[in-house]
Amino acid sequence: MGKEDASNAVLLVISRVGCDESGAGRLTMVVDGREMGSEEWRSLVAEAENFDVISVRVDRERLLEHSTYFRSLEYFSELNRESLNVNWDPPIFCILLQCMHGFQSSFSSCVIARLIQAVDYFGVDEAITRCKNWVDSEMCNVRCGTEDDFLSDLLSIRSTATEIGEKYVGELCVRSLAINFVSLHFHP
């Protein structure tokens, strides 16, 4: 993907929830998402866990096209704001941005519940479709470390999906629990 129009760029400053507002001792990273390819997005998502604040320059039109949240911000498309603060989990929000830029994301059961919450809040249809596909294809086969991890992740995903009215994902979690119950409890 080529560089987007610079006049249409906006810097998203993604701050970890509860992050010290003074800026003292915060780990920060600044990247230009408009020029990133698939591997750079994958690397950013992997590294995002280590930072309190990540600033990503993106195309304003891309945000408006892919997110109901940004479309709903009053006058967002007309304002010449150079930056916008987003108080969210940086790795999860970076996955949303990765989806908005059309690149595949690697999910684990440990992040799906948080991702579903972000998808619901920011209204990124591409990401909810990818969550559904992941749950549909992976949940019946996933083993996340120990039995307790798997059950905890599964219940967290189901709870989150139910809270936001994502019935399909909740039903898949119940199906996965039923399929895996025998192997979790009766096989050494």
Side-chain angles (χ1 to χ4, degrees), residues 146-167:
T146 67
E147 175 183 320
D148 291 339
D149 290 341
F150 174 74
L151 292 174
S152 176
D153 292 342
L154 187 61
L155 293 173
S156 178
I157 294 167
R158 183 184 177 283
S159 174
T160 301
T162 302
E163 285 175 17
I164 68 166
E166 190 52 60
K167 187 176 178 182

Side-chain angles (χ1 to χ4, degrees), residues 16 25-29 43-54 89-91:
R16 187 173 306 282
R26 297 188 310 181
L27 292 173
T28 63
M29 174 194 297
S43 178
L44 175 63
V45 169
E47 292 176 30
E49 194 67 45
N50 301 320
F51 292 90
D52 299 313
V53 179
I54 298 177
D89 185 3

Side-chain angles (χ1 to χ4, degrees), residues 150-151 175-187:
F150 174 74
L151 292 174
R175 186 181 86 197
S176 176
L177 186 58
I179 289 170
N180 286 289
F181 179 78
V182 172
S183 65
L184 289 172
H185 293 288
F186 298 109
H187 293 288

Side-chain angles (χ1 to χ4, degrees), residues 92-159:
I92 298 300
F93 195 81
C94 287
I95 292 172
L96 287 182
L97 288 174
Q98 183 182 23
C99 289
M100 284 188 228
H101 282 81
F103 297 112
Q104 292 294 344
S105 300
S106 298
F107 302 139
S108 70
S109 63
C110 308
V111 300
I112 290 290
R114 294 183 344 221
L115 183 58
I116 291 172
Q117 289 173 328
V119 165
D120 181 55
Y121 187 83
F122 291 101
V124 180
D125 291 337
E126 293 87 359
I128 194 62
T129 299
R130 291 183 187 174
C131 285
K132 287 177 183 178
N133 290 342
W134 184 91
V135 171
D136 194 29
S137 67
E138 298 293 326
M139 210 54 186
C140 293
N141 301 316
V142 73
R143 297 292 185 275
C144 190
T146 67
E147 175 183 320
D148 291 339
D149 290 341
F150 174 74
L151 292 174
S152 176
D153 292 342
L154 187 61
L155 293 173
S156 178
I157 294 167
R158 183 184 177 283
S159 174

Side-chain angles (χ1 to χ4, degrees), residues 23-59:
R26 297 188 310 181
L27 292 173
T28 63
M29 174 194 297
V30 180
V31 296
D32 192 337
R34 300 169 303 158
E35 299 178 346
M36 291 171 39
S38 180
E39 288 305 313
E40 289 91 357
W41 278 106
R42 197 175 344 265
S43 178
L44 175 63
V45 169
E47 292 176 30
E49 194 67 45
N50 301 320
F51 292 90
D52 299 313
V53 179
I54 298 177
S55 299
V56 182
R57 186 164 302 283
V58 295
D59 180 60

